Amino acid sequence: MSRESEADPAKRAALPGTLPEALRAELVAFRRDMHMHPELGNQEFRTTAAIKARLEKAGLKPRVLSVGTGLICDIGIEEGQPVSGVPVLAMRADIDALPIPDTKTECAYRSTVPDRAHACGHDVHTTVVLGAGLVLAELHRQGRLPRPVRLIFQPAEEVLPGGAADAIECGALDGVGRIIAVHCDPRVDAGVIGLREGAITSACDRLEITLDGPGGHTARPHLTTDLVTAAARVVTDVPALVARRVDTRAGLAVTWGRIESGHAPNVIPQHAELSGTVRCLDIEAWRQAPDIVVAAIDEVANLHRAKSEINYVRGVPPVVNDGAVAALLQDAMVARRGEDAVEGTEQSLGGEDFSWYLERVPGAMARLGVRPPGERTVRDLHQGDFDADEDAITVGVELFTAAALLDAATRDA
């Protein structure tokens, strides 16, 4: 990552795979249509059909995953040809949306589906990989694609433990030597990508807890299990206990998103529910997290005489960028846009199931800038008003096409 790019201005000018204006306009329209018709994880039937139709129009032969949504498409490999020993470069996009309302008020392409929105930029990711595939397919027809490429349109990234496992089971990584991806970043200007070697996201698990006990009148709490107090202590004490049972540098954190109990001000309830997430910067601490978190919850619940049931849902490990593949993305971006188009980025506490691919093959994810240059307001991810500067589509396509062309020069056959 730290090495200087070998791509000088003359080489940049000669590198093929830029985005024709007509295709750029088509891709913007494709993204807007997808934005208007968001589908949740494992329900992306319309989205899958639209991607498949466009790839087939280009003469490609995409394969829908056996789970019914998502698809894989090879470029430079004939149907039925074995890929064993072929160092395929894979490009992954996620195609699902979020179960939140689109709150943009002045947007012609806002979601038409109630309580559904592409508020994480998956529509941009999908359009980037689709566009890169179309450009690379044309280069392949011209005999200018040096190595095979695989497009992976993955469902259910937002559904723990993520749809990556389904894609892998369906053969997404068969014959793959490297894999790349982008994720929208509203803190970075369009035209720029953020990169780092090593962990770029964090582990993320889901936590669901029920507390039960005999309720009663608020005038006699000593005769009851005071579940509201017990739930409140779990909310405040468990994160503190967990934080003291691992190295602080591991960043193991429990954060609550929902607490629900009771119906009347003078009745101590018999049931309480809590849910939240467990996030961790360090993969070894993440492996220990279930035992640590469950023990802390039990301790606090027992102290308040509450019976606890805990559903600890394993999510995803951190995305750990391979140094050589991160360097490939850096070289590709420099080849297209120059040194100033790449900036360092920090490890986030967000989770991403792209990590499951990297447990098997080397790869890297870049943060794709989607903030309009000069805009001060940051429309954060997973918020109903999120939108992206559509120039980022062109940037992403040309980043991926350059990566495909430079990939052959950076590793042995």
Side-chain angles (χ1 to χ4, degrees):
M1 260 290 294
S2 60
R3 65 188 177 87
E4 293 185 2
S5 170
E6 299 175 356
D8 60 29
K11 290 180 180 178
R12 290 202 297 270
L15 191 68
T18 56
L19 190 61
E21 179 58 30
L23 181 54
R24 188 203 71 82
E26 180 190 348
L27 292 174
V28 168
F30 185 95
R31 181 257 169 171
R32 292 185 177 188
D33 180 76
M34 188 173 168
H35 198 86
M36 293 173 67
H37 301 92
E39 297 173 302
L40 298 184
N42 297 316
Q43 301 173 24
E44 312 97 330
F45 298 104
R46 183 185 187 277
T47 303
T48 297
I51 298 167
K52 182 173 183 287
R54 185 60 185 92
L55 292 171
E56 289 178 337
K57 182 180 178 182
L60 298 171
K61 297 181 179 180
R63 311 184 301 278
V64 176
L65 302 185
S66 61
V67 292
T69 62
L71 58 161
I72 299 168
C73 184
D74 289 332
I75 303 170
I77 301 175
E78 297 301 322
E79 188 175 15
Q81 177 184 334
V83 295
S84 178
V86 177
V88 177
L89 176 68
M91 303 174 177
R92 175 269 201 171
D94 36 14
I95 65 175
D96 58 325
L98 286 163
I100 63 174
D102 188 332
T103 60
K104 298 189 292 295
T105 56
E106 298 181 3
C107 179
Y109 51 86
R110 67 193 299 266
S111 173
T112 61
V113 184
D115 299 319
R116 302 286 185 269
H118 271 293
C120 199
H122 293 189
D123 53 336
V124 174
H125 307 165
T126 299
T127 306
V128 164
V129 173
L130 174 63
L134 296 176
V135 173
L136 292 171
E138 179 59 30
L139 290 178
H140 175 62
R141 280 189 288 272
Q142 299 170 8
R144 303 173 74 188
L145 182 64
R147 290 185 187 270
V149 170
R150 174 168 298 150
L151 315 178
I152 302 172
F153 298 93
Q154 177 212 301
E157 190 277 330
E158 298 287 353
V159 182
L160 289 178
D166 290 327
I168 292 169
E169 189 172 338
C170 292
L173 292 182
D174 292 352
V176 168
R178 290 174 167 180
I179 186 168
I180 57 176
V182 292
H183 197 295
C184 290
D185 191 336
R187 303 165 302 170
V188 178
D189 284 350
V192 177
I193 63 168
L195 271 177
R196 69 180 282 122
E197 182 179 340
I200 193 171
T201 70
S202 299
C204 180
D205 299 334
R206 188 171 72 244
L207 193 58
E208 299 167 347
I209 305 168
T210 61
L211 300 176
D212 292 285
H217 201 290
T218 55
R220 292 176 290 279
H222 59 292
L223 301 179
T224 73
T225 294
D226 187 350
L227 280 185
V228 172
T229 296
R233 298 306 302 193
V234 167
V235 166
T236 57
D237 292 353
V238 167
L241 285 173
V242 167
R244 289 296 177 266
R245 294 180 179 179
V246 295
D247 190 321
T248 304
R249 291 169 295 183
L252 182 59
V254 177
T255 306
W256 305 104
R258 185 180 74 93
I259 178 170
E260 187 173 331
S261 185
H263 301 283
N266 63 342
V267 178
I268 294 175
Q270 297 177 317
H271 183 76
E273 296 180 0
L274 305 88
S275 58
T277 59
V278 180
R279 298 180 186 272
C280 189
L281 298 171
D282 176 73
I283 194 164
E284 291 306 319
W286 175 71
R287 300 190 198 285
Q288 304 169 30
D291 291 340
I292 294 171
V293 172
V294 168
I297 294 168
D298 283 339
E299 286 178 28
V300 176
N302 290 337
L303 183 64
H304 293 274
R305 298 179 297 169
K307 179 183 177 182
S308 61
E309 290 190 10
I310 304 164
N311 182 25
Y312 193 107
V313 182
R314 221 34 168 150
V316 294
V319 171
V320 181
N321 281 349
D322 176 80
V325 185
L328 171 66
L329 289 174
Q330 174 173 308
D331 287 347
M333 192 63 176
V334 171
R336 293 299 191 198
R337 302 267 168 160
E339 298 281 354
D340 292 342
V342 181
E343 65 181 33
T345 191
E346 61 187 12
Q347 182 182 5
S348 79
L349 278 167
E352 235 288 353
D353 77 349
F354 185 66
S355 55
W356 291 122
Y357 299 101
L358 304 192
E359 293 279 292
R360 295 173 178 249
V361 298
M365 170 176 281
R367 302 199 192 282
L368 180 67
V370 296
R371 181 178 62 191
E375 183 173 305
R376 296 184 178 226
T377 301
V378 175
R379 296 178 176 178
D380 203 4
L381 300 172
H382 287 218
Q383 299 297 315
D385 66 346
F386 173 79
D387 202 359
D389 186 323
E390 290 172 322
D391 285 344
I393 295 171
T394 300
V395 176
V397 170
E398 296 189 352
L399 169 69
F400 275 10
T401 56
L405 296 168
L406 294 175
D407 180 45
T410 60
R411 56 178 173 153
D412 295 331

